């Protein structure tokens, strides 16, 4: 009986922890996306050519990081 109660307690703690994390991280991600959109908008107004030229290296950097993360191990 004690083991079952302990298991239910751990489940509840994990569930509440995940819910709180989701509540904190979702608005944070939305704010970050909004900031990135604002940066692109302002840089496009200043110089469209420079914005496109800067997007190339940023895209390569992100693609390299994704490749490092998801490539098959040797």
């Amino acid at each position: 009986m004690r083991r079952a109660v302990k298991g239910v307690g751990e489940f509840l703690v994990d569930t509440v922890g995940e819910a709180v994390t989701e509540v904190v991280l979702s608005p944070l991600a939305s704010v970050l996306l909004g900031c990135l959109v604002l940066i692109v908008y302002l840089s496009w107004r200043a110089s469209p050519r420079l914005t496109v030229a800067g997007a190339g290296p940023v895209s390569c950097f992100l693609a390299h990081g994704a490749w490092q993360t998801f490539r098959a191990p040797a």
Side-chain angles (χ1 to χ4, degrees), residues 33 57 60 63-64:
L33 180 62
C60 289
H64 177 70

Side-chain angles (χ1 to χ4, degrees), residues 39-40 43-44 47-63:
I39 289 169
V40 169
S43 68
W44 186 266
S47 174
R49 288 182 182 168
L50 190 58
T51 302
V52 172
V58 170
S59 298
C60 289
F61 174 74
L62 293 174

Side-chain angles (χ1 to χ4, degrees), residues 29-39:
S30 296
V31 168
L32 178 62
L33 180 62
C35 288
L36 290 174
V37 168
L38 180 64
I39 289 169

